[in-house]
Amino acid sequence: MSAAKVSLFAFEFSWWIVGPVAVLAGIIGAYAGARAGRTAGAREEALEPGEVVLSAYAVRPLFEEGRATGVSDSARFELRVTTLGLQLWEGADQLWSHPWWAVRLTAEGDFVLVHHGDREIAELLVDTFDGSPDELLLGAERLRARAHHI
């Protein structure tokens, strides 16, 4: 068999592999895009008229349904800071939302504790650039102070 026939055979054979892989990658990409769009849409619909998202943080609760969470769980949870309050989301599901006047945030090491009145409602590890929750705590105090004056 000549070199030209071997390379032609290899070229034709490669399309039998590349074609299905390309179709599969397209299907996976379409699914991921639809899921991300659904999540973003659900989060935007939950906003009150005039409410604006100021920032969002990937977070990991210490415990979820009685079990300790792992590092990979921070991709599922998002803490959204808005002009009116604080929201915790798991994918497209809103776990809770509290107005600024009703919540207080404190730090305990790397963790942020979210309090509603006298009750602690969440212990979260915030995924920030420098690993510190200071940015979130400072913004929350300013927004909470502003909410008391409104």
Side-chain angles (χ1 to χ4, degrees), residues 84-85 97-105 114-119 121 144 147-148:
L84 299 180
S97 177
H98 296 284
W100 282 116
W101 58 266
V103 293
R104 180 175 48 86
L105 276 66
V114 182
H115 304 272
H116 186 271
D118 295 337
R119 213 176 83 224
I121 58 173
R144 187 169 185 261
H148 283 292

Side-chain angles (χ1 to χ4, degrees), residues 1 8 11 16 18 27 32 36 44 48 64 86 97 117-118 128 136 138 147:
M1 198 186 272
L8 181 61
F11 178 74
W16 285 96
V18 172
I27 291 170
E44 291 304 311
E48 298 290 326
E64 176 199 15
L86 198 60
S97 177
D118 295 337
T128 59
L136 172 63
L138 181 60

Side-chain angles (χ1 to χ4, degrees), residues 73-86:
D73 289 322
S74 64
R76 294 183 8 228
F77 296 94
E78 182 177 85
L79 185 68
R80 292 177 64 152
V81 176
T82 73
T83 52
L84 299 180
L86 198 60

Side-chain angles (χ1 to χ4, degrees), residues 51-111:
E51 185 175 18
V52 176
V53 176
L54 301 174
S55 60
Y57 299 91
V59 295
R60 178 170 49 100
L62 289 181
F63 296 96
E64 176 199 15
E65 298 173 1
R67 70 166 183 84
T69 57
V71 175
S72 63
D73 289 322
S74 64
R76 294 183 8 228
F77 296 94
E78 182 177 85
L79 185 68
R80 292 177 64 152
V81 176
T82 73
T83 52
L84 299 180
L86 198 60
Q87 304 173 348
L88 182 63
W89 291 83
E90 180 180 7
D93 300 323
Q94 186 176 34
L95 301 179
W96 51 257
S97 177
H98 296 284
W100 282 116
W101 58 266
V103 293
R104 180 175 48 86
L105 276 66
T106 59
E108 187 174 293
D110 293 339
F111 295 96

